[in-house]
Amino acid sequence: MGAHAFVMKKSDFYFDLPEQLIAQHPLAQRDASRLMVLNRSNGSVQHCHFRDLLEYVQPGDCMVLNNSRVIPARLMGHAVGRTAPIEVLLLTDKGNGLWECLTRPGRKTREGVELTFGDGLLTATVEQVQPDGNRLIRFHYSGIFLEILDKLGSMPLPPYIKEKLSDPERYQTVYSKTPGSAAAPTAGLHFTTELLDKLVQKDVQLAFVTLHVGLGTFRPVKENEITDHVMHSEYYVMEETAAQQINRAHDAGRKIWAVGTTACRTLETVADQTGHVRAQSGWTDIFIYPGYRFKVVDHLVTNFHLPESTLMMLISAFATREMVMDAYRQAIEQEYRFFSFGDSMLLY
């Protein structure tokens, strides 16, 4: 990990992915998905199923899960007095009814445009067009915003999923609790309540953090040198209970497991150099790529990611780029399912 690690190119994380490996729908049984286990000390790979995760976790280990819940953040409406449809995607809650949003088509959402949704049940004003093209939109309504969204909004599935989701709960983790994400923390989709119960019976600590996943997760890296990429920021909460669980496990020499890149980024944001965390909340734009030294995460559970994505860079920092690229080559050969509804990987 010498100085060369810092002049990495986006193309270093490219691989050719056959389109038929992009999972279009979830499996009937959550924990039936496959699990590739990559041993970081020697690069060896094992193929098993997600429910086999139990065999890798030791009593006293602490597993950190992101309990953010996806909101039905995609709204279809139109400008007042017009009929042409306008799509609004809620990204970030700025408070007092103000949201940062993506809109389509953008030319119809200039500053000052009034929007209406669901026969006027919800109205909105475009307050600002930001330099990156996102809009700041103020919503006007009576009652509870999330209840109105439940009526009018739909699940914002990632752009590479073309099929409609028959059961929206399958794009939520079974432990999702705090609404606010525009995309699911997908590594957690494989857990069932039974599997969580078995972990607890094995004396594994389950610690919950919240990180609201933004659509920046899917934003492609455009810059050739990865250090030029500007990370999106996402809101996180680390509660006192979780911080204590993590620190106790850490002090006892137990392993800290991050379920998903979101839990990993939250942990690495709040950890100090000794690997201890403290209760706090705020915005993180941490960008983890090869050369980064992990402070607290020992094991990482994650799905299979897009070529050249920041998530590929994160897992390449956790193992090595060579190990990860080799594991992905095997995943493609073995026809693992990729992305949000796909299979899973444990970096151990």
Side-chain angles (χ1 to χ4, degrees), residues 67-286:
N67 67 7
S68 180
R69 196 168 163 78
V70 188
I71 57 174
R74 176 174 277 138
L75 288 163
M76 292 306 296
H78 53 84
V80 173
R82 301 285 172 98
T83 53
I86 292 174
E87 180 184 12
V88 175
L89 199 51
L90 304 175
L91 296 182
T92 310
D93 185 356
K94 300 291 192 183
N96 294 329
L98 188 69
W99 283 76
E100 182 175 345
C101 304
L102 278 174
T103 60
R104 267 208 308 239
R107 63 180 189 284
K108 297 209 172 129
T109 49
R110 299 203 173 98
E111 276 172 34
V113 167
E114 301 283 337
L115 302 169
T116 178
F117 309 90
D119 296 328
L121 183 61
L122 180 64
T123 59
T125 312
V126 181
E127 290 198 352
Q128 198 189 336
V129 177
Q130 299 188 286
D132 60 4
N134 289 356
R135 306 302 200 253
L136 287 180
I137 297 179
R138 175 105 38 202
F139 289 89
H140 319 290
Y141 53 91
S142 56
I144 297 167
F145 189 60
L146 283 171
E147 286 180 5
I148 295 170
L149 272 192
D150 278 336
K151 280 198 191 93
L152 301 180
S154 61
M155 277 295 169
L157 288 178
Y160 44 74
I161 292 178
K162 310 284 186 249
E163 293 183 17
K164 197 163 163 44
L165 186 59
S166 55
D167 174 12
E169 276 305 307
R170 287 309 308 271
Y171 195 55
Q172 305 279 12
T173 60
V174 297
Y175 49 80
S176 68
K177 185 176 146 196
T178 312
S181 277
T186 53
L189 294 178
H190 308 280
F191 285 89
T192 59
T193 42
E194 296 76 26
L195 183 55
L196 292 169
D197 289 345
K198 285 179 181 164
L199 286 163
V200 171
Q201 285 159 20
K202 195 171 175 174
D203 198 26
V204 174
Q205 292 293 309
L206 302 181
F208 293 95
V209 298
T210 305
L211 181 131
H212 291 319
V213 187
L215 285 189
T217 301
F218 304 114
R219 188 186 293 163
V221 176
K222 295 197 168 75
E223 290 72 14
N224 231 348
E225 291 204 6
I226 65 173
T227 46
D228 295 338
H229 177 69
V230 178
M231 248 341 231
H232 56 288
S233 49
E234 294 170 316
Y235 185 75
Y236 69 87
V237 180
M238 166 73 72
E239 303 274 5
E240 186 58 50
T241 324
Q244 287 177 7
Q245 286 174 291
I246 293 160
N247 290 336
R248 268 203 304 272
H250 180 79
D251 290 342
R254 308 308 316 175
K255 300 296 184 200
I256 308 299
W257 293 64
V259 174
T261 54
T262 58
C264 175
R265 290 176 62 234
T266 305
L267 284 165
E268 291 297 318
T269 295
V270 301
D272 63 20
Q273 291 307 321
T274 68
H276 290 87
V277 300
R278 65 186 178 87
Q280 55 184 281
S281 62
W283 295 86
T284 179
D285 59 357
I286 188 171

